[in-house]
Amino acid sequence: ETGVTQSPTHLIKTRGQQVTLRCSSQSGHNTVSWYQQALGQGPQFIFQYYREEENGRGNFPPRFSGLQFPNYSSELNVNALELDDSALYLCASSLGSGQGSYGYTFGSGTRLTVV
Amino acid sequence: ILNVEQSPQSLHVQEGDSTNFTCSFPSSNFYALHWYRWETAKSPEALFVMTLNGDEKKKGRISATLNTKEGYSYLYIKGSQPEDSATYLCALVGNTDKLIFGTGTRLQVFP
């Protein structure tokens, strides 16, 4: 059991740039979700991928996009970065369609700072 | 729209004290409720998954209850230890298994 790994751990980008964050799922998990945690808030759901297809999306604009690969690892891409995108981005893997019957396994996050 | 509130926002207790905090929600329209412990610079770690009204879970000194009719869940820590210091997050599982989080309760246990 390897857990969830996210990379990079920290990142500084300039407004208007694009960024790609990466996540490798826990072995055996087929679902990946991404969350954004801004300062002073709880994590907010961005989107979820199940077997390489988007399976639900939160209230985030289209410049937030993602991918899930055949090995169930995932990427979060953000285009045209804005200052408000500065946050901790968390990835979580789970066994899909379990209606929350299983706890999710989280990575330790990528801290993105947009200047 | 599910809205999850946690209280208190932060808590400072002495080692050995017992403590509890609350997760409240206005509706029972969800599949499950999760509690996570999040230590600084680490990953959120699943503590409990609760699925039924009246559900009660226990892990060592930590236990949780769920009352969907009244719209709350309690997390109890008996005999707090410094290693219990963390942020405790409550999350409801909504459509498509997405987690709807509260803002968390930050617990600090002083020796």
Side-chain angles (χ1 to χ4, degrees):
Chain A
E1 203 171 278
T2 57
V4 172
T5 305
Q6 291 188 243
S7 62
T9 54
H10 296 84
L11 200 52
I12 299 175
K13 288 285 191 178
T14 304
R15 191 171 49 182
Q17 284 188 313
Q18 178 266 342
V19 69
T20 297
L21 311 182
R22 294 181 174 84
C23 171
S24 61
S25 307
Q26 177 166 314
S27 176
H29 285 182
N30 56 17
T31 302
V32 172
S33 306
W34 286 90
Y35 293 83
Q36 180 198 66
Q37 190 193 29
L39 204 60
Q41 297 182 21
Q44 300 291 313
F45 176 72
I46 303 175
F47 45 55
Q48 181 185 88
Y49 279 82
Y50 173 66
R51 293 184 176 177
E52 303 177 58
E53 297 284 331
E54 187 179 289
N55 182 42
R57 188 178 182 90
N59 190 25
F60 281 82
R63 59 191 184 82
F64 285 77
S65 63
L67 280 174
Q68 188 180 30
F69 300 100
N71 65 356
Y72 302 134
S73 65
S74 177
E75 286 182 355
L76 164 65
N77 299 290
V78 188
N79 292 323
L81 283 166
E82 299 177 0
L83 298 179
D84 284 349
D85 296 332
S86 296
L88 180 71
Y89 289 84
L90 290 166
C91 169
S93 74
S94 61
L95 280 169
S97 300
Q99 294 186 343
S101 301
Y102 313 104
Y104 290 24
T105 303
F106 280 85
S108 52
T110 293
R111 173 74 61 188
L112 173 65
T113 303
V114 182
V115 298
Chain B
I1 297 176
L2 289 170
N3 188 35
V4 180
E5 294 188 359
Q6 290 189 247
S7 61
Q9 194 171 32
S10 65
L11 200 50
H12 301 114
V13 302
Q14 288 294 128
E15 183 176 357
D17 287 350
S18 293
T19 186
N20 67 84
F21 16 96
T22 306
C23 173
S24 58
F25 41 88
S27 162
S28 61
N29 187 23
F30 57 91
Y31 293 116
L33 184 145
H34 293 187
W35 280 100
Y36 290 86
R37 174 169 58 201
W38 194 0
E39 296 179 64
T40 303
K42 294 189 178 179
S43 316
E45 173 197 352
L47 278 176
F48 300 117
V49 173
M50 315 187 76
T51 55
L52 298 172
N53 186 44
D55 202 0
E56 188 167 341
K57 296 281 172 74
K58 187 173 179 177
K59 187 186 289 188
R61 296 179 292 99
I62 306 177
S63 61
T65 60
L66 173 62
N67 186 325
T68 55
K69 291 176 185 172
E70 301 289 327
Y72 64 81
S73 176
Y74 289 149
L75 189 78
Y76 302 90
I77 302 179
K78 185 178 176 182
S80 302
Q81 300 296 309
E83 57 264 30
D84 296 328
S85 298
T87 295
Y88 290 83
L89 287 168
C90 163
L92 300 183
V93 182
N95 289 341
T96 66
D97 292 355
K98 72 178 183 185
L99 296 177
I100 302 160
F101 282 93
T103 51
T105 293
R106 181 173 290 183
L107 174 67
Q108 192 114 17
V109 183
F110 294 103

